[in-house]
Coordinates of all heavy atoms in Angstrom, one line a residue:
L1 N 117.5 92.3 101.1 CA 116.8 91.2 100.3 C 115.3 91.3 100.4 O 114.6 90.9 99.5 CB 117.4 89.8 100.6 CG 118.8 89.5 100.2 CD1 119.3 88.2 100.8 CD2 119.0 89.6 98.7
V2 N 114.9 91.7 101.6 CA 113.4 91.7 101.9 C 112.9 93.1 102.0 O 111.9 93.3 102.7 CB 113.1 90.8 103.1 CG1 113.5 89.4 102.9 CG2 113.8 91.4 104.4
S3 N 113.6 94.0 101.4 CA 113.3 95.5 101.6 C 111.9 95.9 101.1 O 111.3 96.8 101.5 CB 114.3 96.3 101.0 OG 114.4 96.1 99.6
M4 N 111.4 95.1 100.1 CA 110.1 95.5 99.5 C 109.0 94.8 100.2 O 108.3 93.9 99.7 CB 110.1 95.3 98.0 CG 108.9 95.9 97.3 SD 109.0 95.8 95.5 CE 110.1 97.1 95.1
D5 N 108.7 95.2 101.4 CA 107.6 94.7 102.2 C 106.3 95.5 101.9 O 106.3 96.5 101.3 CB 107.9 94.7 103.7 CG 107.2 93.7 104.5 OD1 106.3 93.0 103.9 OD2 107.4 93.6 105.7
K6 N 105.2 95.0 102.5 CA 103.9 95.7 102.2 C 103.9 97.0 102.9 O 103.5 98.0 102.3 CB 102.7 94.8 102.8 CG 101.4 95.5 102.7 CD 100.2 94.6 103.1 CE 99.9 93.6 102.1 NZ 98.7 92.9 102.4
L7 N 104.5 97.2 104.1 CA 104.5 98.4 104.8 C 106.0 98.8 105.1 O 106.7 97.9 105.7 CB 103.7 98.4 106.0 CG 103.7 99.6 106.9 CD1 103.0 100.8 106.2 CD2 103.0 99.4 108.2
T8 N 106.4 100.0 104.8 CA 107.7 100.4 105.2 C 107.7 100.8 106.6 O 107.0 101.8 107.0 CB 108.2 101.6 104.3 OG1 108.3 101.2 102.9 CG2 109.6 102.1 104.7
V9 N 108.4 100.1 107.5 CA 108.3 100.3 108.9 C 108.9 101.7 109.3 O 108.3 102.4 110.1 CB 109.1 99.2 109.7 CG1 109.1 99.5 111.2 CG2 108.4 97.8 109.4
N10 N 110.1 102.0 108.7 CA 110.7 103.3 109.1 C 110.1 104.4 108.2 O 110.4 104.5 107.0 CB 112.2 103.2 108.8 CG 112.9 102.3 109.7 OD1 112.6 102.3 110.9 ND2 113.7 101.5 109.2
N11 N 109.2 105.1 108.8 CA 108.5 106.2 108.0 C 109.4 107.4 107.8 O 110.4 107.6 108.5 CB 107.1 106.6 108.6 CG 107.3 107.0 110.0 OD1 108.2 107.7 110.4 ND2 106.3 106.7 110.8
F12 N 109.0 108.2 106.8 CA 109.8 109.3 106.4 C 109.0 110.6 106.6 O 108.0 110.8 106.0 CB 110.2 109.2 104.9 CG 111.0 110.4 104.4 CD1 112.2 110.7 104.9 CD2 110.4 111.1 103.3 CE1 112.9 111.8 104.3 CE2 111.1 112.2 102.8 CZ 112.3 112.5 103.3
H13 N 109.4 111.4 107.6 CA 108.6 112.6 107.9 C 107.2 112.3 108.2 O 106.2 112.9 107.8 CB 108.7 113.6 106.8 CG 110.0 114.3 106.6 ND1 110.7 114.9 107.6 CD2 110.8 114.3 105.5 CE1 111.9 115.4 107.2 NE2 112.0 115.0 105.9
N14 N 107.0 111.2 109.0 CA 105.7 110.7 109.4 C 104.7 110.3 108.3 O 103.5 110.2 108.4 CB 105.0 111.8 110.2 CG 105.7 112.1 111.5 OD1 106.1 111.2 112.2 ND2 105.8 113.4 111.8
V15 N 105.3 110.0 107.1 CA 104.6 109.4 106.0 C 105.0 108.0 105.8 O 106.2 107.7 105.4 CB 104.7 110.2 104.7 CG1 104.0 109.6 103.6 CG2 104.3 111.7 104.9
Q16 N 104.1 107.0 105.9 CA 104.4 105.6 105.7 C 104.2 105.2 104.3 O 103.4 105.8 103.6 CB 103.6 104.7 106.6 CG 103.9 104.9 108.1 CD 103.1 103.9 108.9 OE1 102.0 103.6 108.7 NE2 103.8 103.3 110.0
I17 N 105.0 104.3 103.8 CA 104.9 103.8 102.4 C 104.1 102.4 102.5 O 104.6 101.5 103.1 CB 106.3 103.6 101.8 CG1 107.1 104.9 101.8 CG2 106.1 103.1 100.3 CD1 106.5 106.0 101.1
L18 N 103.0 102.4 101.8 CA 102.2 101.2 101.8 C 102.1 100.6 100.4 O 101.8 101.4 99.5 CB 100.8 101.5 102.4 CG 99.8 100.3 102.5 CD1 100.3 99.2 103.4 CD2 98.4 100.8 102.9
R19 N 102.3 99.3 100.3 CA 102.2 98.6 99.0 C 101.0 97.6 99.0 O 101.3 96.4 99.2 CB 103.5 98.0 98.6 CG 104.7 98.9 98.6 CD 106.0 98.2 98.3 NE 107.1 99.1 98.3 CZ 107.8 99.6 99.3 NH1 107.5 99.1 100.5 NH2 108.8 100.4 99.1
P20 N 99.8 98.0 98.9 CA 98.7 97.1 99.0 C 98.5 96.0 97.9 O 97.7 95.1 98.1 CB 97.5 98.0 99.0 CG 97.9 99.2 98.3 CD 99.4 99.4 98.6
L21 N 99.3 96.2 96.9 CA 99.2 95.2 95.8 C 100.4 94.2 95.7 O 100.6 93.5 94.8 CB 99.2 96.0 94.4 CG 98.2 97.1 94.3 CD1 98.3 97.8 92.9 CD2 96.8 96.6 94.4
I22 N 101.2 94.3 96.8 CA 102.5 93.5 96.8 C 102.3 92.0 96.6 O 103.3 91.3 96.2 CB 103.3 93.9 98.0 CG1 104.8 93.5 97.8 CG2 102.8 93.2 99.3 CD1 105.5 94.3 96.8
N23 N 101.2 91.5 96.9 CA 101.0 90.0 96.8 C 100.1 89.7 95.6 O 99.6 88.6 95.4 CB 100.3 89.5 98.1 CG 101.2 89.6 99.3 OD1 102.4 89.3 99.2 ND2 100.7 90.0 100.4
I24 N 99.9 90.7 94.7 CA 99.0 90.5 93.5 C 99.9 90.4 92.3 O 100.8 91.2 92.1 CB 98.0 91.6 93.4 CG1 97.1 91.6 94.7 CG2 97.2 91.5 92.2 CD1 96.2 92.8 94.7

């Protein structure tokens, strides 16, 4: 339910997923 956070904690091959617009 809360999977779309600003930063994906579990990175994939050392690449993190960042969503800097998630509160816009």
Side-chain angles (χ1 to χ4, degrees):
L1 292 173
V2 298
S3 61
M4 192 171 280
D5 201 357
K6 178 173 284 190
L7 179 68
T8 299
V9 177
N10 294 315
N11 53 38
F12 176 63
H13 290 305
N14 295 318
V15 178
Q16 292 184 321
I17 305 298
L18 180 63
R19 301 176 178 88
L21 309 177
I22 199 64
N23 295 319
I24 298 173

